[in-house]
Amino acid sequence: VIELREQGGLLAGVAHGAGEEVPLREIVLDGDRLTWKQAVTRPVRLNLAFDVTVDGDTLRGTSRAGRLPSSKVVGERRTEPERRP
């Protein structure tokens, strides 16, 4: 789950998952294209780069971890983030 918000004209965000909360970096919205980077430590340490297209309440695109193959990403807007213990 990612949370995005505008602060002072800039996008800021946080990703929640696998028991950790990590800040999003280098968030850029250019038209309907949204890109960002984030680091995770669980289940393994990875630096991820996301490149998605936003269409209404849906986003689709890819996530890439270094030289590993890209993974498909699909998401849906929620009004309240779902919190998991």
Side-chain angles (χ1 to χ4, degrees):
V1 174
I2 64 167
E3 292 180 47
L4 293 170
R5 64 193 167 285
E6 188 178 357
Q7 291 180 325
L10 298 174
L11 285 175
V14 170
H16 305 274
E20 66 182 338
E21 180 176 299
V22 296
L24 305 183
R25 303 182 327 269
E26 300 177 39
I27 305 168
V28 176
L29 179 60
D30 183 12
D32 62 354
R33 183 177 178 210
L34 177 65
T35 59
W36 74 90
K37 294 181 180 177
Q38 70 184 73
V40 295
T41 59
R42 294 180 192 162
V44 295
R45 186 171 296 229
L46 293 171
N47 291 310
L48 304 172
F50 289 82
D51 188 340
V52 300
T53 301
V54 180
D55 182 12
D57 289 339
T58 303
L59 63 81
R60 294 184 190 282
T62 59
S63 169
R64 188 167 188 99
R67 291 187 273 181
L68 296 174
S70 295
S71 298
K72 289 184 182 180
V73 174
V74 178
E76 197 173 294
R77 184 186 317 258
R78 294 192 241 179
T79 55
E80 288 292 322
E82 180 180 313
R83 298 292 178 148
R84 296 183 181 165

